[in-house]
Amino acid sequence: MPKPEKPVLITGASGNLGRFLTKTLAAQGWTLRLTDMAPFPDELPPGASFRRVDLADGLEVARLVEGCGLVLHFGGASTDEWAFESIVDANLRGLYHVYEGARLAGARVVFASSNHAIGFHERTEKLDADCSLMPDSLYGASKAFGEVVGRLYWMKHGVESVFVRIGSCFPEPIDERMLSTWLSYADLGRMMVACGTAATVGCSLLWGVSNNARSFWGQDDRVAIGWSPQDSADVFENKVLGKLSDSPIAEKYQGGIYTARG
Ligand code: 15L
């Protein structure tokens, strides 16, 4: 298995996706630096270290990125339920600090963006990666900000990025919408390996979605990066068909015209 030569920083390491990636990538021999505001809840795997850092602290973030060749940026506010001020600190300030750190270290960034950056596109034809940013929430707007800043750092400073517009990354689909939006953990893990080991990625975009027949999303940069999903939500159809999301404002979107959920 190919692996990055330099250490890899994972922000948001204590979250569900961060914990999964830590386990998976450490098992492949990656040298990991982990960080989160919350303590790391698992035993540290061999080759990994953890530091509790607030992404709003630019100096600390720069120290973390120093010497790394890759940042898997999964840290920050992860839903629209976060207060605006926390979104600003984690997703605007924090994002800027990660890119500044990457610029200084010469590191590549994989940014965990979200389908909510484009959630107010209508469900008509499948959306391609170059569709306009159309956030459905302040959280989605903060992810759009991240993609725009990432592009700036590519054009101005040559910092490579992959923006991953993650659909719904859960152990399995839990409602009908996820038959469209689900990304399996295993596909996410394989995606990070591809993003971390591709010779070049430039400034690319991937839809973070498994091979679902009902996916809302189409063309992206997967061929150039060398990733394609191997799992599919289709096998869960009987389990979740007709099951509505329990999101409090989901009714607005549920059978409706937008790809968003609340
Ligand atoms: C996201 O961006 C969130 O981080 C996640 O909690 C889910 O809500 C997901 O989108 C989704 O749209 O299902």
Side-chain angles (χ1 to χ4, degrees), residues 1 20 27 48 59 65 115 117 168 178 220 252 261:
M1 278 277 188
F20 168 75
L59 203 59
V65 186
N115 72 92
S168 310
M178 290 194 195
D220 64 9
K252 209 159 106 195
R261 189 179 68 173

Tab-separated table of all heavy atoms in Angstrom, residues 1 20 27 48 59 65 115 117 168 178 220 252 261:
chain	number	residue	atom	x	y	z
A	1	MET	N	0.847	-1.223	0.000
A	1	MET	CA	0.000	0.000	0.000
A	1	MET	C	0.875	1.262	0.000
A	1	MET	O	1.740	1.396	0.872
A	1	MET	CB	-0.845	0.029	1.283
A	1	MET	CG	-2.084	-0.810	1.204
A	1	MET	SD	-3.402	0.100	0.379
A	1	MET	CE	-4.759	-1.011	0.649
A	20	PHE	N	-12.459	7.052	12.679
A	20	PHE	CA	-12.399	5.980	11.673
A	20	PHE	C	-11.118	6.109	10.842
A	20	PHE	O	-10.398	5.133	10.614
A	20	PHE	CB	-13.635	6.016	10.765
A	20	PHE	CG	-13.480	5.148	9.555
A	20	PHE	CD1	-13.584	3.766	9.650
A	20	PHE	CD2	-13.153	5.701	8.320
A	20	PHE	CE1	-13.374	2.945	8.538
A	20	PHE	CE2	-12.943	4.903	7.209
A	20	PHE	CZ	-13.063	3.523	7.313
A	27	ALA	N	-3.435	1.835	10.511
A	27	ALA	CA	-3.267	0.404	10.205
A	27	ALA	C	-2.501	0.209	8.891
A	27	ALA	O	-1.938	-0.858	8.650
A	27	ALA	CB	-4.639	-0.271	10.109
A	48	ALA	N	0.984	7.371	16.039
A	48	ALA	CA	0.100	8.541	16.127
A	48	ALA	C	0.362	9.328	17.407
A	48	ALA	O	0.693	8.757	18.445
A	48	ALA	CB	-1.360	8.096	16.085
A	59	LEU	N	-1.377	30.095	15.931
A	59	LEU	CA	-0.015	29.680	16.238
A	59	LEU	C	0.051	28.173	16.487
A	59	LEU	O	0.924	27.462	15.988
A	59	LEU	CB	0.470	30.461	17.468
A	59	LEU	CG	1.964	30.581	17.630
A	59	LEU	CD1	2.578	31.276	16.416
A	59	LEU	CD2	2.290	31.355	18.913
A	65	VAL	N	0.894	21.822	11.837
A	65	VAL	CA	1.080	21.503	10.410
A	65	VAL	C	2.564	21.428	10.035
A	65	VAL	O	2.932	20.717	9.092
A	65	VAL	CB	0.360	22.538	9.502
A	65	VAL	CG1	0.433	22.100	8.034
A	65	VAL	CG2	-1.093	22.733	9.894
A	115	ASN	N	-22.165	18.652	1.270
A	115	ASN	CA	-23.258	18.838	0.296
A	115	ASN	C	-24.054	20.104	0.630
A	115	ASN	O	-24.717	20.666	-0.235
A	115	ASN	CB	-24.153	17.605	0.256
A	115	ASN	CG	-25.017	17.432	1.488
A	115	ASN	OD1	-26.148	17.890	1.541
A	115	ASN	ND2	-24.483	16.769	2.515
A	117	ALA	N	-22.928	22.954	1.049
A	117	ALA	CA	-22.368	24.115	0.325
A	117	ALA	C	-23.128	24.357	-0.982
A	117	ALA	O	-23.064	25.440	-1.557
A	117	ALA	CB	-20.889	23.900	0.028
A	168	SER	N	-23.637	12.075	3.160
A	168	SER	CA	-23.960	11.639	4.529
A	168	SER	C	-23.067	10.447	4.843
A	168	SER	O	-23.330	9.333	4.378
A	168	SER	CB	-25.423	11.207	4.624
A	168	SER	OG	-26.274	12.198	4.079
A	178	MET	N	-30.799	9.324	2.363
A	178	MET	CA	-29.429	8.782	2.317
A	178	MET	C	-29.245	7.707	1.243
A	178	MET	O	-28.119	7.302	0.963
A	178	MET	CB	-29.004	8.279	3.695
A	178	MET	CG	-28.780	9.406	4.673
A	178	MET	SD	-27.908	8.849	6.132
A	178	MET	CE	-28.214	10.233	7.239
A	220	ASP	N	-17.006	14.605	-11.426
A	220	ASP	CA	-16.036	15.244	-10.524
A	220	ASP	C	-14.630	14.809	-10.940
A	220	ASP	O	-14.449	14.311	-12.056
A	220	ASP	CB	-16.347	14.938	-9.050
A	220	ASP	CG	-16.220	13.461	-8.713
A	220	ASP	OD1	-15.725	12.676	-9.559
A	220	ASP	OD2	-16.603	13.060	-7.595
A	252	LYS	N	-39.487	20.473	4.898
A	252	LYS	CA	-39.347	21.443	3.827
A	252	LYS	C	-38.675	20.824	2.599
A	252	LYS	O	-38.916	21.205	1.471
A	252	LYS	CB	-38.480	22.589	4.362
A	252	LYS	CG	-38.743	23.935	3.753
A	252	LYS	CD	-38.243	25.018	4.693
A	252	LYS	CE	-36.987	25.658	4.202
A	252	LYS	NZ	-36.297	26.434	5.221
A	261	ARG	N	-31.003	18.918	3.317
A	261	ARG	CA	-31.823	18.532	4.452
A	261	ARG	C	-31.654	19.668	5.440
A	261	ARG	O	-30.832	20.543	5.232
A	261	ARG	CB	-31.303	17.231	5.058
A	261	ARG	CG	-32.240	16.665	6.096
A	261	ARG	CD	-31.726	15.391	6.647
A	261	ARG	NE	-30.518	15.639	7.448
A	261	ARG	CZ	-29.932	14.707	8.152
A	261	ARG	NH1	-30.392	13.490	8.155
A	261	ARG	NH2	-28.858	14.973	8.857
